[in-house]
Amino acid sequence: SQTIHQWPATLVQPVGSPLSLECTVEGTSNPNLYWYRQAAGRGLQLLFYSVGIGQISSEVPQNLSASRPQDRQFILSSKKLLLSDSGFYLCAWSRGTGGMEETQYFGPGTRLLVL
Amino acid sequence: GDSVTQMEGPVTLSEEAFLTINCTYTATGYPSLFWYVQYPGEGLQLLLKATKADDKGSNKGFEATYRKETTSFHLEKGSVQVSDSAVYFCALTSTNSGYALNFGKGTSLLVTP
């Protein structure tokens, strides 16, 4: 069976500090990978998606970046955090073969508070 | 572009009450439609989905029917339980963005004993 891991679960960081959130998927190959953010008072917003190693597409201009160094690893980074980066970050995967009908499976999330 | 609109919460119901959470969408083409649920402190879980017009998705007593004529996918349950308290998100697959999900803002449901 497939599982998705995210860490850390909770993070408190000062403004201007760097960020690295990691997501890994087990039990599948060549998945599509996604980063979403859920900010207070807002819905879920797609940040990045990846259809393969080294292939990253950004949906929202911001000070965040993503990388996919391995097939089942997806990393969200920032060089300098802003207050507005606070939120709940969710990683998700899908098989990448079913098109519009595909189900996405979400990790447990990382709660980030920037002070 | 594609978008999802769902009723704002919070919704508070007594146990065994009937639940409806409205969801309408705007999309080009024929997206698949989803309801995801987020229990307190957890990530999102798929609740149900429908992939074409008139399909009905169902799971755990919840149902939703893909209505193309009204561009709607309303979530219903005949008798809610305290354990159904959660945030419910309606979503559709985007025709681009690697088939990423386009979510509504979520509806918070609180069921009281």
Side-chain angles (χ1 to χ4, degrees):
Chain A
S1 64
Q2 300 84 20
T3 55
I4 178 169
H5 304 280
Q6 282 187 248
W7 64 91
T10 305
L11 193 58
V12 181
Q13 292 284 94
V15 169
S17 63
L19 173 73
S20 181
L21 303 181
E22 189 162 342
C23 170
T24 58
V25 181
E26 296 177 354
T28 189
S29 296
N30 197 32
N32 283 0
L33 296 172
Y34 308 86
W35 278 111
Y36 293 88
R37 177 171 62 196
Q38 186 177 21
R42 300 184 184 179
L44 280 152
Q45 180 184 43
L46 176 68
L47 301 176
F48 301 95
Y49 70 95
S50 172
V51 299
I53 296 174
Q55 300 178 59
I56 308 294
S57 296
S58 173
E59 288 298 300
V60 182
Q62 58 215 325
N63 69 318
L64 300 172
S65 62
S67 62
R68 185 171 176 174
Q70 300 181 41
D71 182 41
R72 290 168 290 175
Q73 184 184 31
F74 205 24
I75 298 172
L76 182 70
S77 304
S78 174
K79 292 182 179 177
K80 288 186 178 182
L81 283 169
L82 306 173
L83 288 174
S84 58
D85 292 324
S86 294
F88 191 45
Y89 289 80
L90 288 161
C91 181
W93 74 274
S94 66
R95 297 189 192 283
T97 57
M100 301 276 277
E101 300 183 10
E102 283 208 327
T103 296
Q104 289 187 24
Y105 302 92
F106 286 79
T110 294
R111 194 163 301 280
L112 171 66
L113 178 60
V114 182
L115 300 175
Chain B
D2 297 350
S3 66
V4 175
T5 302
Q6 61 181 105
M7 58 189 291
E8 300 278 342
V11 174
T12 302
L13 294 174
S14 298
E15 204 165 23
E16 299 184 1
F18 184 85
L19 169 71
T20 300
I21 300 178
N22 290 335
C23 172
T24 57
Y25 68 91
T26 302
T28 55
Y30 302 94
S32 292
L33 302 174
F34 302 80
W35 277 101
Y36 278 81
V37 58
Q38 186 178 29
Y39 297 104
E42 300 183 12
L44 268 69
Q45 303 175 24
L46 176 69
L47 181 59
L48 53 84
K49 73 177 185 181
T51 60
K52 60 182 186 295
D54 300 324
D55 266 2
K56 177 186 284 187
S58 60
N59 186 25
K60 298 181 181 180
F62 291 89
E63 293 182 340
T65 301
Y66 189 162
R67 300 287 188 200
K68 193 171 186 301
E69 64 275 14
T70 54
T71 61
S72 65
F73 193 53
H74 304 321
L75 182 68
E76 296 182 336
K77 186 174 185 182
S79 176
V80 293
Q81 306 300 311
V82 172
S83 57
D84 294 326
S85 298
V87 181
Y88 292 82
F89 292 91
C90 185
L92 57 79
T93 40
S94 174
T95 52
N96 45 32
S97 304
Y99 301 115
L101 289 168
N102 195 329
F103 285 93
K105 291 189 175 182
T107 302
S108 176
L109 171 66
L110 176 63
V111 181
T112 58

